[in-house]
Amino acid sequence: MENGKMENVPAKGEEVVKDSKFDRRRRLIGAICGPICALLVWITPIGGLSPEAHHLLAVMTLVALWWITEPIPIPVTSLVGPTLCVVLGIVKMKEAFAAFANPMIFLFMGGFIIAKAMTVNGLDKRIAYGIMSMKWVGDSPRRIFLAIGLACMLCSGWISNTATAAMMFPIALGLLEAIKEMMAMQGKEINLRTYKYATGLMLMTAYACSIGGVLTPIGTPPNIIMLGFLDELSGIHISFFEWMVWGFVAMICYFAIAYFVLWRMFPADIEHINGAQEMIAQKVKALGTWTRAQKNTLFAFIVAVVLWVAPGIISIIYGSDSPILKEYNRIFPEAIAAMIGALLLFFIPTNKSYTKMTLQWKDAVAGIEWGTLLLFGGGLAMGGMMYSTGLSAWIGEQIIAMLGGAPSQLLLVAVFSVMALLLSELTSHTAATNMIGPLAIGAAVSAGFSPVPVAVGVALSSSLGFMLPVSTPPNAIVYASGYIPITKMIKTGVYIDFIGIACVTIPIVLYLVEMIIK
């Protein structure tokens, strides 16, 4: 799962990425130009818009520009939008802030709490090191390369992409140091800053963390944001199980593309890494035996997963119109399943005296990404107001007109997927999805298409931010190692981004189109 854009980035990464001259200028320009552009939109007559929609467009202009340029924290901007809408009389307060109580918020919150418990109790490390210590991995650089990617990918489907990258980053560094020592013993001195395999391993660590996020609705914010928009704007509900089916296919295909591209560009020049198995074995040994807290956390996690996927299994057995399925969904919607798993952590003790539970409240509070929840709620609020005032329909009609008046569904999906990708390279992919999502759904509805394919396309494409250190926190974390030339990151990111859209995102969307037509 993804949290705030630049949290948990090492100090060096912050110096390189966060405090760059480009970012300072971007913030200054946004602070000045945002209000000016919003005012210009406010005073410019626009035919076809109601006064409420016109004024909302001005507010959206400010919010969108501030999401991109970040003169103030992105979550704060998400509160500025609904607040201005109330102050300016566009909507009433209840309507402006209703989205902050959307059930999707609690689905995400439950996921955050479970993920925090996995991190606090060491379950995430046990899973990651378990994959790395498998016999098939051995000391082969190629298989270690694959295992690092698999561990990052599988963990990040359930816990923060940033936390996963921060956890796996030291392991990758340790392996590279082992290579350097081994080469030195053979009389070969290597510079890890220019060593191809070092660059590839660092990029695999970052990219696999982002790729794993597409697996589940809670894996990364763009997934749940687009599901929220579909539910809020179109009344279409996509179940956790349904998303996992598409997400699993996308994840495996994205990973295969990343692995192929990275290994071809950054192959190892040795056949074995002496000491690699011993290093991983020491990591596993340091974890000790399974603790009661780890077992409890695993139990709570399994309960939540079972409750999430059960509707899909019931649908397969009894049919999608089954009364059993309807009753189950009434009792255990996805948000409730997440909260049950999370709440169990506070009820299951780790000692016989029942004085200590599996998760402490202070840890749970620290694990909830309040900024992400506020950004998610703000995006849903602005999207809902765009729909209720008719602004999204008007923008959708303008986009359709620019595309020739009667674009194919494939063209529509391709355009919005590329827009989401490019915007997520420059700003938080959560903010990018909040901006692109309502427009994509509005355009699809205006063109007479189902909004599901374009929504899935936008969500998947938003996770493909591989070109720049600022695109995702995992990119920034590995870039801080100094082993990745910026030109290499851009080049590999371009390859994987656009191959991913062409070979994975678009085919999945076309499949959805066929399913909807049938």
Side-chain angles (χ1 to χ4, degrees):
M1 285 190 307
E2 188 59 85
N3 58 2
K5 185 183 175 189
M6 294 300 299
E7 289 188 10
N8 299 324
V9 180
K12 183 177 179 183
E14 288 189 3
E15 180 183 347
V16 171
V17 178
K18 199 170 183 179
D19 296 326
S20 68
K21 185 181 294 185
F22 169 78
D23 277 336
R24 290 196 296 271
R25 288 179 177 176
R26 176 167 62 100
R27 295 189 183 101
L28 179 61
I29 292 171
I32 297 171
C33 294
I36 293 174
C37 292
L39 182 60
L40 290 174
V41 171
W42 182 283
I43 63 177
T44 302
I46 301 177
L49 281 180
S50 65
E52 292 79 12
H54 187 179
H55 297 161
L56 179 60
L57 180 60
V59 175
M60 277 300 306
T61 301
L62 173 66
V63 170
L65 288 174
W66 278 8
W67 271 338
I68 295 171
T69 58
E70 300 180 68
I72 60 175
I74 288 179
V76 176
T77 301
S78 300
L79 292 173
V80 167
T83 301
L84 283 177
C85 287
V86 175
V87 172
L88 297 174
I90 298 171
V91 295
K92 294 182 179 179
M93 183 172 176
K94 186 176 181 180
E95 182 181 350
F97 288 93
F100 288 89
N102 189 292
M104 290 288 183
I105 295 282
F106 294 92
L107 169 59
F108 225 176
M109 185 183 295
F112 280 143
I113 293 174
I114 295 172
K116 184 63 177 181
M118 294 174 72
T119 303
V120 168
N121 296 321
L123 182 61
D124 57 343
K125 288 185 175 66
R126 193 168 288 281
I127 293 172
Y129 295 162
I131 295 172
M132 293 294 298
S133 63
M134 290 181 177
K135 290 184 178 181
W136 65 268
V137 178
D139 58 5
S140 165
R142 184 163 192 161
R143 278 176 281 182
I144 287 174
F145 193 84
L146 177 62
I148 284 279
L150 288 174
C152 291
M153 180 179 71
L154 295 176
C155 287
S156 66
W158 304 96
I159 67 174
S160 161
N161 298 356
T162 308
T164 303
M167 174 181 66
M168 297 302 296
F169 179 62
I171 300 175
L173 286 179
L175 290 167
L176 292 175
E177 288 298 327
I179 293 177
K180 184 176 180 179
E181 292 174 8
M182 183 195 71
M183 299 287 275
M185 291 173 62
Q186 297 175 357
K188 301 177 182 178
E189 294 292 334
I190 62 171
N191 183 353
L192 291 177
R193 290 179 178 272
T194 58
Y195 189 50
K196 278 189 174 183
Y197 185 74
T199 300
L201 192 64
M202 288 290 104
L203 288 175
M204 172 56 84
T205 302
Y207 292 173
C209 290
S210 296
I211 289 169
V214 306
L215 174 62
T216 65
I218 63 170
T220 189
N223 301 350
I224 203 164
I225 287 171
M226 291 312 299
L227 294 183
F229 279 140
L230 282 173
D231 190 41
E232 188 88 5
L233 307 183
S234 305
I236 298 174
H237 178 74
I238 304 296
S239 72
F240 200 99
F241 182 82
E242 284 178 307
W243 180 273
M244 279 194 68
V245 172
W246 310 332
F248 178 78
V249 173
M251 180 184 74
I252 296 300
C253 293
Y254 286 145
F255 183 78
I257 292 169
Y259 176 78
F260 177 79
V261 170
L262 290 173
W263 187 255
R264 288 293 299 270
M265 294 181 67
F266 310 105
D269 55 357
I270 54 175
E271 294 185 3
H272 302 283
I273 303 177
N274 295 334
Q277 288 177 297
E278 290 77 6
M279 190 195 84
I280 297 299
Q282 289 174 1
K283 294 281 189 182
V284 174
K285 186 178 180 180
L287 293 176
T289 59
W290 278 75
T291 65
R292 172 57 59 186
Q294 289 172 348
K295 293 177 182 178
N296 293 348
T297 303
L298 181 61
F299 172 73
F301 172 67
I302 291 174
V303 168
V305 172
V306 169
L307 291 175
W308 279 328
V309 303
I313 298 173
I314 294 173
S315 178
I316 293 172
I317 297 174
Y318 297 104
S320 57
D321 295 326
S322 166
I324 298 176
L325 179 61
K326 293 178 181 178
E327 184 64 13
Y328 182 93
N329 287 332
R330 185 188 67 81
I331 300 173
F332 297 115
E334 284 94 345
I336 294 300
M339 294 309 296
I340 288 174
L343 293 174
L344 280 174
L345 297 166
F346 299 99
F347 284 90
I348 308 177
T350 58
N351 55 21
K352 293 182 179 180
S353 60
Y354 291 83
T355 57
K356 186 178 181 181
M357 299 303 164
T358 304
L359 184 66
Q360 303 302 307
W361 176 246
K362 62 179 181 179
D363 293 326
V365 172
I368 297 174
E369 296 297 333
W370 300 105
T372 300
L373 294 182
L374 290 176
L375 177 53
F376 178 38
L380 285 180
M382 299 305 292
M385 287 185 282
M386 288 175 67
Y387 180 79
S388 63
T389 60
L391 179 59
S392 61
W394 180 83
I395 295 177
E397 291 170 1
Q398 307 310 306
I399 293 173
I400 296 302
M402 286 190 293
L403 294 177
S408 66
Q409 192 163 16
L410 176 60
L411 175 61
L412 196 67
V413 170
V415 167
F416 280 106
S417 294
V418 172
M419 286 173 61
L421 167 64
L422 295 178
L423 194 55
S424 66
E425 292 286 1
L426 300 174
T427 188
S428 160
H429 62 1
T430 309
T433 310
N434 273 330
M435 284 182 275
I436 300 296
L439 305 183
I441 291 175
V445 172
S446 296
F449 301 131
S450 167
V452 174
V454 72
V456 173
V458 168
L460 295 179
S461 300
S462 296
S463 293
L464 297 176
F466 298 151
M467 287 192 273
L468 296 170
V470 297
S471 300
T472 66
N475 288 11
I477 288 173
V478 300
Y479 184 72
S481 67
Y483 300 160
I484 306 174
I486 187 65
T487 53
K488 299 293 184 183
M489 179 177 277
I490 293 173
K491 186 176 180 180
T492 54
V494 168
Y495 286 152
I496 299 172
D497 280 350
F498 288 98
I499 292 174
I501 285 183
C503 299
V504 181
T505 306
I506 298 301
I508 288 177
V509 167
L510 288 177
Y511 169 77
L512 293 176
V513 171
E514 291 183 6
M515 291 294 293
I516 290 169
I517 292 175
K518 290 180 180 179

